[in-house]
Amino acid sequence: VSEFPHPLHARTPKDGLFHWVEDPLHLDLSDATVYIDGSAYYADMGDTFIRCGFSMVFVAPNGWLLGAGRGVPPDYVTSSAAAELWALYFTLSLCPTIPRVITDCKGLLDAVNAGVGPSTGPQSKLARIWKMIQRVLESTERWASLAANLVWMPSHTSRDEHLNRAKSNGEPLSDTDWRANRLADGHAKAAVLPFLMTWQQVAELRARNTLVAKILLRIGKVTHASNHQPGVAYVDGAARNCTLRLSLIHI
C-alpha cells in the first residue's frame, strides 16, 4: 500500500471558521430573507473523515442579493443536517431580530414546530445545537417567532420543475428562491473545499476500509465459532449436550 500524508492533516478547525463573501451587516436587514444551507463530504466514511460546510445568503424583498457568508462548523457537526442547523444558529446569533429564514432541510422545520422540549431533549441527535439556539432565543415566545419565520422549500429541482412546487407556507417557489438556494448550496460546498482530500486519498481510504471490514468479519466468525463448539457436560451423572468455548475443550 502506498504511503500518503494522513488525511487528518486537512481536518477542519476544531471550533470552525466563518468569513463574509459580502458582508451585509451594515445594511437594513429587517425585511431580508436568509437562505441557509449545509453540506457534508465523505458522509459514508465515518465521523473521522467527514467534512462539513455551511452558508447564509441574504436577499432583499425585491430579489436583490444583499450579502453572503460561508464557513465550516465545529468538529462535532458531522452531517449535512447538523451543518444546516449550525447555519441557522449562526444566523440567529448575528441578527438582533428573528429574520425570515428559508431552509431546504425539512428536519429543521419539523424540530422547530415540535417545540423546545423535543428539540433539546435526550432523544434529539442535534440537541447540542438546539440548546445553543434556545439560549440565543432566550424565551418560548421567540421560539414561537422562529417557528413562524422558518420556511422549508424543496431543493435540487430544475429551473422548470420549481415553477410547480410550493414552500411549506403554501407560497409557490419563485425564481428568487431557486437562485438563492442554489447560491447557498454553492457557498456551503465552497467553504469546505480547502479541507477536502484528493481523489487518490479517498480511493485508498475506501480500499483500506473495505479491507478492514473484511478482516473484522473473519475475526468475528472465528470468535463466534470458538465460543460455540458443541460439547457434552455431565450433570448429576447424566450427559447433556452443551456449547463450550474452544479453550475449555481438552485436546
Side-chain angles (χ1 to χ4, degrees), residues 150-177:
L150 185 64
V151 177
W152 171 82
M153 65 165 283
S155 62
H156 307 298
T157 60
S158 69
R159 195 173 187 110
D160 293 330
E161 288 175 336
H162 84 273
L163 297 174
N164 300 318
R165 306 292 294 276
K167 302 190 285 275
S168 60
N169 60 1
E171 295 178 357
L173 205 61
S174 67
D175 285 335
T176 298
D177 293 326

Side-chain angles (χ1 to χ4, degrees), residues 92 96 98 116 130-144 146:
L92 295 173
I98 297 175
V116 177
W130 281 117
K131 277 283 190 182
M132 297 169 68
I133 290 176
Q134 181 188 17
R135 288 195 292 270
V136 169
L137 295 177
E138 296 180 335
S139 67
T140 54
E141 290 77 12
R142 283 173 59 83
W143 185 285
L146 173 61

Side-chain angles (χ1 to χ4, degrees), residues 2 21 24 28 81 103 114 126 134 144 172 185 212 222 228 236 243 246 248:
S2 63
V21 179
D28 180 10
T103 175
L126 304 179
Q134 181 188 17
D185 179 69
V212 170
V222 171
H228 293 79
D236 298 330
T243 301
L246 188 60
L248 299 179

